[in-house]
């Protein structure tokens, strides 16, 4: 973990990694809010970059108590997962660790479980 980030190796393409994550979210009843195609947006303005897409996810029922307890956590909610390809073509899935978010926003320990699902979701998305 670097700077609060957890980065997992994915055996899937960027698109497939996020499609898998979306499906796992659906199975767990975790709403997906939107998907950002950074590399697609770059291509539309004539720039080239390796594949990079981000998914935002989370349930307001779980996130709202955190934002009430510590309003600054709203800058990091909904939760985000970034699938990206490095210069060698390897795909990664990165998200903020709950420990990092807890420390960064001084979250009450009894509410951290509300966002801890990100770990399980992301680990499931990168399984072979």
């Amino acid at each position: 973990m670097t700077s609060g980030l957890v980065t997992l190796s994915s055996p899937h393409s960027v698109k497939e990694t996020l499609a898998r994550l979306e499906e796992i979210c659906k199975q767990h009843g975790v709403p997906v809010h939107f998907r950002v195609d950074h590399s697609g947006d770059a291509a539309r303005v004539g720039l080239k970059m390796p594949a990079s897409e981000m998914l935002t996810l989370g349930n307001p029922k779980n996130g709202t108590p955190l934002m009430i307890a510590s309003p600054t956590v709203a800058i990091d909610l909904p939760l985000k997962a970034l699938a990206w390809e490095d210069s060698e073509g390897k795909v990664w899935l990165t998200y903020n660790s709950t420990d990092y978010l807890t420390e960064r926003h001084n979250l009450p320990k009894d509410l951290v479980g509300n966002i801890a699902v990100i770990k399980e979701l992301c680990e499931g998305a990168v399984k072979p």
Side-chain angles (χ1 to χ4, degrees):
M1 179 171 64
T2 303
S3 302
L5 299 176
V6 176
T7 299
L8 307 171
S9 175
S10 177
H12 314 289
S13 70
V14 165
K15 286 199 178 302
E16 186 179 348
T17 298
L18 284 192
R20 290 170 58 91
L21 180 56
E22 281 188 270
E23 180 58 31
I24 293 167
C25 286
K26 188 178 187 180
Q27 292 169 3
H28 284 81
V30 176
V32 171
H33 301 285
F34 59 89
R35 189 171 181 158
V36 178
D37 183 351
H38 295 296
S39 50
D41 289 343
R44 283 188 279 288
V45 297
L47 300 172
K48 190 173 183 175
M49 68 181 285
S52 176
E53 296 186 27
M54 182 179 69
L55 203 64
T56 62
L57 53 111
N59 190 330
K61 185 176 181 181
N62 292 339
T64 302
L66 288 163
M67 290 185 276
I68 291 168
S70 181
T72 61
V73 76
I75 196 90
D76 288 312
L77 296 179
L79 296 170
K80 297 161 197 71
L82 175 70
W84 56 282
E85 186 178 277
D86 67 19
S87 61
E88 297 172 8
K90 178 76 182 113
V91 175
W92 305 92
L93 184 63
T94 301
Y95 64 94
N96 284 318
S97 78
T98 54
D99 288 343
Y100 167 75
L101 293 174
T102 300
E103 184 178 325
R104 181 175 187 195
H105 302 287
N106 196 28
L107 298 176
K109 300 287 184 206
D110 62 321
L111 294 178
V112 173
N114 290 15
I115 55 173
V117 70
I118 188 76
K119 180 179 189 281
E120 178 185 349
L121 299 172
C122 288
E123 287 177 352
V126 300
K127 285 185 179 175

